[in-house]
Amino acid sequence: MSINKGNRAMLWTAALMLTTTVTVSAQDAISTPKDWFLRDPEADSLLGVSAEKTYQTLLKGKPSRTVLVAVIDSGIDIEHEDLKDIIWINEDEIPGNNIDDDKNGYVDDIHGWNFIGGKNGNVAEDTYEVTREYARLKPKFESIDSTKVGKKDKAEYAYWKKVKKKYDNDFSHNKKQYDEYKKYYEQYTALHQNLSYFDSLLEARMGKPTTKQSLEGFTTSNDTLNYAKESLLQIMDRVGSQLQVELTGQELVAMLKENIAQIQEGIDHFRVAVEYGYNTEFNPRTVVGDDPKNLTQKGYGNNDVEGPDAKHGTHVAGIIGADRKNTLGIRGIADNVRIMSIRAVPNGDERDKDIANAIIYAADNGAKIINMSFGKSFSPNKELVDKAVKYAESKGVLLIHAAGNDGDNLDEKDNFPNRDFSAGGNAKNWLEIGASAWGKDKDFVGSFSNYGKKSVDLFAPGVQIYSTTPGNQYEDLQGTSMACPATSGVAAMLMSYFPDLTAAEVKDILRQSTRKFDGLKVVVPGGKDEVSFSELSSTGGLVNAYDAVALAMKYKKQPASK
């Protein structure tokens, strides 16, 4: 294999990037128990929710009831080995007879419902809400003279300017990221090929693995072998000094392979954003067959609760309640739950109409908790979702929502859906969740997590969370999308063992019982400065099952905290 000047330049360019990129992936790969989020801060020195400790002590031998948790998401693999026995079954519906036996408006809804599907398939990708709003308002305001905007249109024009600014900025950012990831992919792939070749060539010649010591003791007059030796040694030194470890050639090649996989994920993410999310001409809604303008329409969709990409929803479901009685995969947090799958979240932004109908469906069909690991920056029909939230509150349902992954202060930036009603007031049955990490001290909070002293209630484990994925697989994922079901799992535990508690009381107990960290300073998400962890949420704490159950055991009904 010959290395020309162009290839050498590309190799060293990629090697320079490797020193920072590998550091990130190496930190993520630090040996942490797969079930760290279930562990106890005191007993295990891991900042989990203390689920295992709670079952082994406070709840040991205690009776419980089954709690139904609705997961509004991308879909769930209901045949997964670790989920199939906890999936909700609608006993009032006869499978496959094409009749609405329970007369709830949904035909053959055996395990839930899919609001983004139709007779001829399912929505996979969809546009972002900012794109839909941009396309809706552009014909009216794009060419208008701002000085000639009528009085009745001023508010909408101001809204258009906000939409346009975000659309233009976000599209430009995503296109730039897409191009950069493709460039990185080419450079890392070339680096991986070269280093793999160097490593195998030198190992074959030396008859032993390539380590810093073996390479330094190897001498040859062959130019290619000398170049291979010097390249491996320099990159080993560069990356090793960053990680403060000594790497072998095989370890370096393995790290590169992992980085390439991560870069491919980035390419896929930004490709979807550019081709679908910000594409004003893309409209997958015809598959559903509903009337998008009819916001009160019910009964549309299909009963395919898995859909074309159920990875996100399946992961969420596993965190809440993956079967704790079998010896497979993982254990979820709650030990006596059923999961209702409601598909309403595409690869893109969910639509207000679908979310409102999904909340109502969950409430009508017996869900006590609704997990909502999704969000967006605009909500043109927020009043519709508000109405559904109020309905769920009237039915005694607890709504738990992920705060989002933009590193934003939600006291200052919009994120929908949320607890605040357009007409004033707010939902008393709502919890907003930020993401914590397994790391201690300043790295305790997920670097991506949204936060807010007023807007976010508490934090929960959301970094490097190992859970179920489609096809009987398991995978680490991270996001407030993972912190949200961690909280839902603890809430389900409380409702299961303390059935007399109302949704408002469970919310109050979860808030009161959060684990506090006096004086803990963390890096503010999305920035570099350090702030007090207590300033990132209204409780200033981390969800903790043990403390929540202990409080529930002596809980006296009292006015719920705000």
Side-chain angles (χ1 to χ4, degrees):
M1 180 178 184
S2 61
I3 306 294
N4 60 38
K5 290 183 178 179
N7 285 337
R8 292 184 183 189
M10 180 176 287
L11 188 153
W12 288 112
T13 300
L16 285 170
M17 294 188 296
L18 182 67
T19 60
T20 55
T21 309
V22 168
T23 302
V24 174
S25 65
Q27 287 175 346
D28 290 343
I30 288 175
S31 181
T32 306
K34 291 295 187 183
D35 64 346
W36 78 264
F37 65 96
L38 301 174
R39 302 292 191 94
D40 180 69
E42 292 179 355
D44 305 308
S45 297
L46 291 165
L47 298 173
V49 304
S50 302
E52 300 304 331
K53 177 182 177 181
T54 307
Y55 286 122
Q56 293 164 11
T57 55
L58 298 179
L59 296 179
K60 190 172 184 178
K62 303 288 186 183
S64 65
R65 68 163 182 176
T66 302
V67 174
L68 181 57
V69 181
V71 174
I72 301 176
D73 215 291
S74 64
I76 297 173
D77 178 2
I78 59 175
E79 299 297 330
H80 193 288
E81 61 184 10
D82 233 356
L83 297 176
K84 61 183 180 180
D85 291 335
I86 65 158
I87 298 297
W88 174 66
I89 298 174
N90 184 356
E91 301 288 356
D92 296 325
E93 196 76 16
I94 300 172
N97 67 353
N98 203 33
I99 296 173
D100 181 15
D101 300 290
D102 59 1
K103 296 181 172 52
N104 69 350
Y106 301 94
V107 176
D108 288 342
D109 56 324
I110 307 301
H111 303 294
W113 195 250
N114 174 13
F115 287 98
I116 51 175
K119 294 180 179 179
N120 299 314
N122 294 305
V123 172
E125 293 83 13
D126 203 346
T127 50
Y128 299 131
E129 196 66 73
V130 67
T131 306
R132 299 192 283 265
E133 287 296 87
Y134 178 86
R136 180 177 69 86
L137 296 169
K138 182 178 178 181
K140 183 175 181 179
F141 291 116
E142 183 183 37
S143 302
I144 197 170
D145 185 338
S146 60
T147 62
K148 296 181 180 179
V149 176
K151 193 172 183 180
K152 66 177 183 178
D153 290 330
K154 283 192 178 297
E156 189 177 38
Y157 179 74
Y159 176 67
W160 150 252
K161 297 292 285 184
K162 181 179 178 181
V163 167
K164 185 178 186 303
K165 180 179 179 180
K166 183 163 180 60
Y167 175 84
D168 289 343
N169 289 343
D170 286 1
F171 177 77
S172 175
H173 169 75
N174 277 269
K175 181 63 169 65
K176 181 180 178 182
Q177 289 292 306
Y178 178 50
D179 292 341
E180 285 186 357
Y181 268 80
K182 287 201 299 182
K183 178 185 71 177
Y184 292 161
Y185 182 81
E186 292 172 358
Q187 292 175 329
Y188 273 79
T189 300
L191 180 61
H192 180 261
Q193 290 173 345
N194 287 331
L195 291 190
S196 296
Y197 172 69
F198 293 163
D199 182 63
S200 59
L201 184 67
L202 289 164
E203 185 172 316
R205 184 59 62 94
M206 294 188 304
K208 53 187 173 182
T210 54
T211 64
K212 184 176 181 181
Q213 185 177 5
S214 67
L215 288 172
E216 287 176 341
F218 175 66
T219 58
T220 178
S221 59
N222 184 288
D223 289 343
T224 299
L225 288 173
N226 269 322
Y227 179 76
K229 168 188 170 180
E230 293 304 318
S231 296
L232 268 180
L233 279 173
Q234 289 185 50
I235 297 175
M236 281 178 179
D237 283 343
R238 189 184 297 275
V239 178
S241 64
Q242 288 280 329
L243 301 180
Q244 297 183 331
V245 295
E246 198 166 286
L247 296 168
T248 67
Q250 289 181 352
E251 289 170 337
L252 190 59
V253 170
M255 278 189 170
L256 266 169
K257 186 175 181 180
E258 182 182 338
N259 272 266
I260 290 170
Q262 292 176 354
I263 292 170
Q264 184 62 59
E265 287 184 11
I267 290 174
D268 294 340
H269 171 79
F270 291 112
R271 178 188 61 78
V272 169
V274 171
E275 294 182 5
Y276 301 108
Y278 295 103
N279 184 352
T280 58
E281 301 299 318
F282 180 62
N283 178 25
R285 195 67 187 190
T286 54
V287 171
V288 179
D290 68 322
D291 178 3
K293 295 181 181 180
N294 182 359
L295 300 179
T296 61
Q297 186 177 5
K298 311 285 184 183
Y300 62 90
N302 64 36
N303 69 346
D304 178 5
V305 297
E306 180 173 351
D309 184 4
K311 181 176 180 178
H312 191 274
T314 302
H315 199 271
V316 164
I319 296 168
I320 296 170
D323 197 329
R324 294 182 59 87
K325 299 177 179 66
N326 64 27
T327 58
L328 303 170
I330 65 162
R331 287 174 292 192
I333 293 172
D335 69 343
N336 194 357
V337 293
R338 293 294 178 268
I339 301 292
M340 175 192 292
S341 177
I342 307 179
R343 189 168 182 267
V345 184
N347 193 349
D349 277 347
E350 63 280 356
R351 299 182 183 230
D352 292 336
K353 174 182 174 180
D354 299 334
I355 296 305
N357 277 326
I359 292 172
I360 292 168
Y361 177 91
D364 279 343
N365 287 279
K368 294 302 179 184
I369 299 168
I370 300 177
N371 188 93
M372 301 185 292
S373 293
F374 54 82
K376 57 185 180 179
S377 300
F378 294 92
S379 181
N381 302 116
K382 178 170 168 41
E383 68 285 349
L384 198 67
V385 180
D386 289 348
K387 185 177 180 181
V389 170
K390 291 177 182 178
Y391 180 74
E393 186 172 16
S394 74
K395 302 277 275 187
V397 181
L398 179 62
L399 302 179
I400 303 180
H401 183 249
N405 305 323
D406 300 307
D408 288 337
N409 184 347
L410 297 187
D411 294 346
E412 301 172 355
K413 290 195 175 183
D414 291 331
N415 184 49
F416 302 101
N418 56 44
R419 80 184 85 218
D420 298 317
F421 300 136
S422 296
N426 55 65
K428 308 303 181 187
N429 61 330
W430 189 285
L431 282 169
E432 193 79 12
I433 314 299
S436 61
W438 48 259
K440 295 182 180 181
D441 302 324
K442 67 179 183 179
D443 296 321
F444 174 55
V445 173
S447 61
F448 51 81
S449 181
N450 287 349
Y451 59 96
K453 182 65 174 174
K454 297 178 181 178
S455 303
V456 173
D457 290 275
L458 53 88
F459 278 70
V463 174
Q464 197 179 320
I465 305 299
Y466 189 69
S467 185
T468 47
T469 52
N472 295 331
Q473 299 298 307
Y474 302 84
E475 190 174 333
D476 285 328
L477 294 178
Q478 63 183 21
T480 57
S481 285
M482 284 65 248
C484 185
T487 308
S488 294
V490 178
M493 182 191 294
L494 289 177
M495 288 188 172
S496 181
Y497 285 89
F498 304 92
D500 292 335
L501 291 175
T502 66
E505 289 166 347
V506 169
K507 171 189 171 181
D508 192 48
I509 289 171
L510 289 176
R511 284 176 52 84
Q512 285 192 44
S513 63
T514 55
R515 185 178 182 84
K516 306 302 193 295
F517 302 86
D518 292 340
L520 174 63
K521 294 282 188 178
V522 298
V523 176
V524 64
K528 297 180 180 179
D529 296 334
E530 291 186 15
V531 298
S532 294
F533 175 63
S534 61
E535 293 301 308
L536 299 183
S537 67
S538 58
T539 65
L542 176 72
V543 70
N544 187 274
Y546 186 89
D547 291 339
V549 168
L551 179 58
M553 285 178 163
K554 58 183 180 181
Y555 188 80
K556 293 182 179 179
K557 293 192 175 183
Q558 53 189 304
S561 61
K562 294 181 180 180

